[in-house]
């Protein structure tokens, strides 16, 4: 699902679709199908079981691995977001690039790529996105770059006020 930049940031840090608290729909369907095929009462006392025990019982019944299903869903959602997000470089003055230590382990590289061959970033930085005459002779933006916190503050204010002031119609 496509989400806003702030939600995507939270997603990248594992604060959306949280492992062991969120179940991908594909996992739920495949698990229920496996439990029906298996029959019996593996999960009759599920309310007394840990999540790991429930996942293991589903696996024992021939169901999918939760860890694999979750990781695949996260990579797929990330790929979908990146393909559908309508955030073009010309909409921004700078970009913050970093590999945060809390970035989801299912995603790779500084840019949270779904491709395991993505390269790691050496350090975080604010990079200017100057184009045309905005860049100086050396290609560097003449304006001082704001901090990542200031950029986020500006972005939130711009998004919250989008479409305002409202007209009479």
């Amino acid at each position: 699902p496509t989400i806003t930049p702030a939600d995507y940031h939270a997603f990248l840090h594992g604060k959306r679709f949280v492992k062991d608290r969120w179940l991908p729909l594909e996992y739920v369907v495949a698990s229920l199908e496996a439990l029906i095929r298996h029959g019996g009462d593996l999960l009759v006392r599920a309310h007394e079981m840990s999540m790991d025990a429930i996942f293991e019982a589903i696996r024992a019944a021939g169901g999918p691995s939760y860890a694999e299903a979750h990781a695949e869903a996260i990579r797929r959602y990330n790929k979908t977001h990146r393909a559908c997000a309508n955030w073009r470089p010309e909409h921004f003055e700078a970009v913050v690039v970093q590999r945060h230590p809390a970035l989801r382990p299912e995603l790779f590289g500084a840019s949270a790529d779904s491709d395991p061959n993505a390269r790691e970033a050496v350090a975080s930085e604010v990079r200017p996105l100057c184009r045309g005459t905005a860049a100086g002779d050396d290609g560097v933006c003449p304006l001082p770059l704001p901090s990542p916190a200031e950029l986020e503050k500006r972005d939130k204010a711009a998004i919250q006020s989008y479409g305002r002031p409202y007209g009479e119609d």
Side-chain angles (χ1 to χ4, degrees):
T2 306
I3 47 184
T4 67
D7 285 325
Y8 185 57
H9 184 259
F11 165 82
L12 293 176
H13 289 265
K15 295 178 181 170
R16 301 285 188 277
F17 309 117
V18 178
K19 189 172 182 199
D20 296 331
R21 294 186 63 196
W22 170 79
L23 305 173
L25 180 60
E26 301 82 5
Y27 175 80
V28 172
V29 171
S31 296
L32 292 173
E33 289 171 347
L35 291 169
I36 290 168
R37 279 192 310 273
H38 183 270
D41 56 358
L42 284 176
L43 297 178
V44 169
R45 306 205 55 84
H47 61 286
E48 297 173 354
M49 298 168 69
S50 69
M51 290 304 293
D52 286 336
I54 292 171
F55 296 149
E56 201 47 49
I58 290 169
R59 190 89 162 133
S65 160
Y66 173 75
E68 291 172 13
H70 181 268
E72 178 56 35
I74 292 301
R75 286 190 286 271
R76 190 175 61 253
Y77 290 2
N78 186 59
K79 186 176 180 180
T80 299
H81 172 78
R82 292 173 66 131
C84 296
N86 193 20
W87 316 112
R88 295 188 181 103
E90 59 268 19
H91 296 159
F92 300 91
E93 64 188 67
V95 63
V96 178
V97 180
Q98 67 180 20
R99 172 67 189 195
H100 193 279
L103 197 62
R104 319 186 82 102
E106 300 92 350
L107 302 174
F108 310 99
S111 60
D113 204 315
S114 295
D115 179 1
N117 297 320
R119 29 172 240 172
E120 294 290 328
V122 186
S124 66
E125 58 183 305
V126 176
R127 294 183 188 165
L129 293 175
C130 290
R131 290 158 299 282
T133 58
D137 292 336
D138 57 2
V140 177
C141 289
L143 302 173
L145 292 172
S147 69
E150 181 59 31
L151 282 173
E152 183 176 0
K153 184 178 174 183
R154 284 191 213 168
D155 287 349
K156 283 182 181 178
I159 289 170
Q160 289 171 349
S161 65
Y162 184 77
R164 291 191 169 102
Y166 297 123
E168 291 180 23
D169 56 338

